[in-house]
Amino acid sequence: MDERFQKQLDFILELDKEKNILRQTHLSDFSRRENDAEHAWHMAVMLYLLREYANEPFDLAKAMMMALIHDVVEIDAGDTYAYDEEAKKTQAEREAKAADRIFGLLPDDQRDALRALFEEYEAQQTPEAHIVRTMDSLQPLLLNDATGGRDWRSHGVKMAQVIKRQEPGRLGSEKIWAFSKALIERNTAEGNIEK
C-alpha cells in the first residue's frame, strides 16, 4: 500500500471518532443527544434542500463538503455549547490545534484543501461560508423546537442568546432568518426560551 492511500485511510478512520462527540442538542424525538457526524450530515442534506433560499449563488458541492468537515476539529477540541461563554474563550485556540493534527493526517494537497475549507468557514467571508453558517444555526434550532424547547429550558437559555446565535445566518439567507426569528419569538411566548 502506498503512503498516500494509507494517509487517506488514516484520516477516514479518524473521522469515525466524530460519531462519539455528543452535542447538547437532542434528536427530534428526544431519545438521545445527537453527535457531530449526524449534525454535519443533516446540514449537508439541508443545503441541498434549502439552497433556493440563499441570498446569493453558491457552489453546492463546496458548501456540502464545508458542512461535512466544519466540526471534525471537535474530535480533539470537544463540542463547545453555543451558549457557553466561558468555553468560547478558548474555542479558537483548541480548534486550531486540533485542525493541525487532524488535517495533518492527510496527504499535503488534501490537507491544504480541507484546512482551507475549514478556515473559510471560520472566516465567514464567502457565500458558501454564509449559507453553511445558516444551516449550522438552523439545524439545532429546528431540533430544539421539535422537542418543545427542552434543551433550551434545561440550560436556561434566553431569547437574546438565541437571537445572537441565529442572526449571523441572515448573511446566508434572509428568508431563513425571518423564519428563525418567528420560531424564536413563538418559543419565547410559549416559555421554552426565557425572555
Side-chain angles (χ1 to χ4, degrees), residues 6 8-17:
Q6 184 60 57
Q8 292 164 328
L9 292 177
D10 290 344
F11 181 79
I12 289 166
L13 286 174
E14 187 68 18
L15 291 183
D16 188 61
K17 294 177 183 176

Side-chain angles (χ1 to χ4, degrees), residues 85-128:
E85 297 306 319
E86 194 59 36
K88 285 184 192 177
K89 292 176 184 175
T90 62
Q91 182 178 6
E93 180 183 332
R94 287 182 286 117
E95 290 185 354
K97 183 177 177 183
D100 288 343
R101 186 192 74 77
I102 295 166
F103 295 125
L105 295 171
L106 285 163
D108 292 353
D109 62 320
Q110 292 180 328
R111 175 201 65 209
D112 294 347
L114 290 187
R115 180 69 182 259
L117 273 182
F118 170 75
E119 290 176 358
E120 181 177 334
Y121 175 72
E122 292 296 312
Q124 285 296 301
Q125 300 294 315
T126 63
E128 291 79 17

Side-chain angles (χ1 to χ4, degrees), residues 1 7 11 43 64 110 113 115 135 147 169 185:
M1 184 179 312
K7 286 183 172 188
F11 181 79
M43 285 173 56
M64 291 175 81
Q110 292 180 328
R115 180 69 182 259
M135 299 307 152
T147 62
E185 290 167 356

Side-chain angles (χ1 to χ4, degrees), residues 26-41:
H26 281 77
L27 302 182
S28 61
D29 66 359
F30 209 76
S31 60
R32 64 176 173 83
R33 288 163 49 195
E34 76 171 339
N35 66 51
D36 271 359
E38 292 165 329
H39 167 65
W41 160 82

